[in-house]
């Protein structure tokens, strides 16, 4: 891709997200979401391939539907209440529509089907942007208007997302689809706590983005897209193999890695607010995620796929892709703070 086009796309992505984050008017926030969507589509279609084009069309249709619902919700709310302020959604019908629209934007179940299909058809770099940067603007809206959203619908969507995100990744062999189902499950964790303690939603989003960036940066530097490729990575780059495994375990929430901290805090907060059944379901769903991450590690280390690679050691080739960010990202995503940050308040 031309550097000039890349600069335009990157600037548009930054401007769209910033517009949604900083706006207090619904039309400005909606415009930011639209700029974000339209800016990422050219990046998804590069390189020009029928599969990437198909994914871009699926993404556009899904996001256009969500944007239409958001526009209808804010227009109906303004008609009923004469308010365009971001935090003012007092109408029940507008609240339900906004809840469903944000669920589509974030890829919450049962509106999650587009996430693995789109992630599978695009490059690792585009997938990284789709599953990290594109979550920031909708999550910021969720954070700001969470008191106005329909609580029953939101809790149902969150539990369904964590369960289906773990269940859907069990039989996957492509790393992009596995990370897409991981994204669905993590969005469920962020949504379940948005009504009780929105600050934890932002904390969970930050840690999720760091862990996912680590995974995608490592996979992109080693050009790995399937589990089978990881089995042949140990004799090419042992350090990259260890980084991938530690990042997977952190995504699964295994203590004492960083990914365990937000899950621990969220479960603690749910139990404190007398949501023991919800906390139990969320903890069980986390085991599903951890299981398919462990399955990747088992398939990569304790079993060997049939391959023509008979040499235990291979000649080291010069690394052409930048790996400067990998050490720092790995450190952050693998080393948990010493305490569960009890200073977070309601």
């Amino acid at each position: 891709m031309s550097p000039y086009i890349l600069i335009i796309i990157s600037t548009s992505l930054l401007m769209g997200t910033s517009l949604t984050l900083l706006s207090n008017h619904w039309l400005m926030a909606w415009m930011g979401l639209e700029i974000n969507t339209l800016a990422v589509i050219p990046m998804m279609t590069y390189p020009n391939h029928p599969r990437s084009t198909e994914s871009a069309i699926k993404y556009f249709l899904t996001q256009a539907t969500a944007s239409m619902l958001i526009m209808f919700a804010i227009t109906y709310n303004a008609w009923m209440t004469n308010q365009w302020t971001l935090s003012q959604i007092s109408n029940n019908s507008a609240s339900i529509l906004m809840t469903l629209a944000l669920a589509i934007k974030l890829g919450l179940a049962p509106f999650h089907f587009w996430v693995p299909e789109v992630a599978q058809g695009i490059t690792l770099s585009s997938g990284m942007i789709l599953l990290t940067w594109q979550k920031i603007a909708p999550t910021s809206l969720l954070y700001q208007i969470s008191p106005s959203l329909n609580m029953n619908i939101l809790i149902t969507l969150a539990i369904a997302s964590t369960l289906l995100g773990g269940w859907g990744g069990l039989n996957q062999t492509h790393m992009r689809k596995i990370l897409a189902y991981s994204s669905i499950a993590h969005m469920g964790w962020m949504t379940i706590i948005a009504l009780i303690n929105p600050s934890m939603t932002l904390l969970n989003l930050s840690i999720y983005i760091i862990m996912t960036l680590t995974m995608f940066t490592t996979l992109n530097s080693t050009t790995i897209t399937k589990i089978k490729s990881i089995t042949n990575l140990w004799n090419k780059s042992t350090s990259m193999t260890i980084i991938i495994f530690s990042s997977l375990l952190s995504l699964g929430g295994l203590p004492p890695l960083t990914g365990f901290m937000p899950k621990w805090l969220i479960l603690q907060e749910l139990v404190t607010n007398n949501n023991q059944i919800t906390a139990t379901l969320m903890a069980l769903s986390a085991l599903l995620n951890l299981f398919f991450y462990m399955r990747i590690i088992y398939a990569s280390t304790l079993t060997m796929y049939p391959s023509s690679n008979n040499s235990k050691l291979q000649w080291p080739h010069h690394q052409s892709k930048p790996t400067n960010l990998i050490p720092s990202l790995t450190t952050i995503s693998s080393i948990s703070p010493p305490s569960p940050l009890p200073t977070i308040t309601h």
Side-chain angles (χ1 to χ4, degrees), residues 160-171 181-182 184-185 285 288-289 292:
S161 298
T162 52
L163 290 172
L164 291 174
W167 194 263
L170 290 177
N171 62 342
Y181 280 108
S182 169
I184 294 167
S285 66
L288 284 173
N289 284 80
F292 71 73

Side-chain angles (χ1 to χ4, degrees), residues 124-257:
L124 286 168
S125 302
S126 302
M128 178 177 67
I129 294 171
L130 175 70
L131 297 179
T132 55
W133 184 265
Q134 292 298 94
K135 305 291 184 184
I136 296 176
T139 308
S140 71
L141 287 180
L142 179 69
Y143 173 80
Q144 294 178 69
I145 66 173
S146 56
S148 307
L149 297 178
N150 191 295
M151 183 172 182
N152 294 327
I153 295 178
L154 214 57
I155 289 176
T156 305
L157 293 177
I159 294 174
S161 298
T162 52
L163 290 172
L164 291 174
W167 194 263
L170 290 177
N171 62 342
Q172 302 300 327
T173 58
H174 290 262
M175 292 303 297
R176 281 170 293 191
K177 272 196 172 182
I178 288 171
L179 290 172
Y181 280 108
S182 169
S183 171
I184 294 167
H186 278 87
M187 288 300 119
W189 281 92
M190 294 175 211
T191 307
I192 198 73
I193 202 65
L195 294 166
I196 299 172
N197 193 342
S199 300
M200 284 191 190
T201 300
L202 299 184
L203 174 69
N204 201 348
L205 177 67
S206 304
I207 293 175
Y208 161 74
I209 287 176
I210 291 171
M211 292 187 297
T212 309
L213 278 176
T214 308
M215 275 300 302
F216 271 106
T217 310
T218 311
L219 294 175
N220 192 33
S221 65
T222 54
T223 61
I224 286 177
T225 56
K226 297 181 181 179
I227 297 177
K228 180 182 176 181
S229 303
I230 302 180
T231 62
N232 295 325
L233 182 64
W234 66 270
N235 56 356
K236 297 178 184 176
S237 178
T238 309
S239 58
M240 289 294 185
T241 310
I242 295 172
I243 289 172
I244 290 175
F245 291 165
S246 63
S247 301
L248 285 172
L249 292 175
S250 186
L251 276 170
L254 187 73
L257 302 175

Side-chain angles (χ1 to χ4, degrees), residues 23-33 70-71 73-75 77-78 83-89 98 102 141 145 149:
S23 61
N24 194 34
H25 195 280
W26 267 117
L27 282 180
M28 297 299 290
W30 181 82
M31 284 174 60
L33 291 173
I70 291 175
M71 178 56 74
I74 60 179
T75 307
N77 183 69
Q83 289 286 341
W84 288 93
T85 311
L86 200 65
S87 57
Q88 295 293 329
I89 303 185
M98 185 61 66
L102 287 178
L141 287 180
I145 66 173
L149 297 178

Side-chain angles (χ1 to χ4, degrees), residues 33-156:
L33 291 173
E34 289 304 292
I35 292 171
N36 237 357
T37 302
L38 295 175
V40 81
I41 287 175
M43 191 176 291
M44 294 170 68
T45 55
Y46 180 84
N48 190 12
H49 188 271
R51 191 70 179 87
S52 59
T53 306
E54 178 190 345
S55 296
I57 293 172
K58 287 178 181 177
Y59 179 75
F60 172 74
L61 292 175
T62 309
Q63 299 300 307
T65 305
S67 297
M68 178 189 67
L69 285 175
I70 291 175
M71 178 56 74
F72 183 75
I74 60 179
T75 307
Y76 183 72
N77 183 69
W79 179 39
M80 297 299 291
T81 62
N82 294 322
Q83 289 286 341
W84 288 93
T85 311
L86 200 65
S87 57
Q88 295 293 329
I89 303 185
S90 53
N91 185 270
N92 189 44
S93 300
S95 173
I96 292 173
L97 283 173
M98 185 61 66
T99 305
L100 297 177
L102 287 178
I104 296 173
K105 282 277 183 186
L106 290 169
L108 293 173
F111 311 107
H112 67 287
F113 296 102
W114 65 271
V115 182
E117 294 301 320
V118 171
Q120 175 62 22
I122 56 181
T123 61
L124 286 168
S125 302
S126 302
M128 178 177 67
I129 294 171
L130 175 70
L131 297 179
T132 55
W133 184 265
Q134 292 298 94
K135 305 291 184 184
I136 296 176
T139 308
S140 71
L141 287 180
L142 179 69
Y143 173 80
Q144 294 178 69
I145 66 173
S146 56
S148 307
L149 297 178
N150 191 295
M151 183 172 182
N152 294 327
I153 295 178
L154 214 57
I155 289 176
T156 305

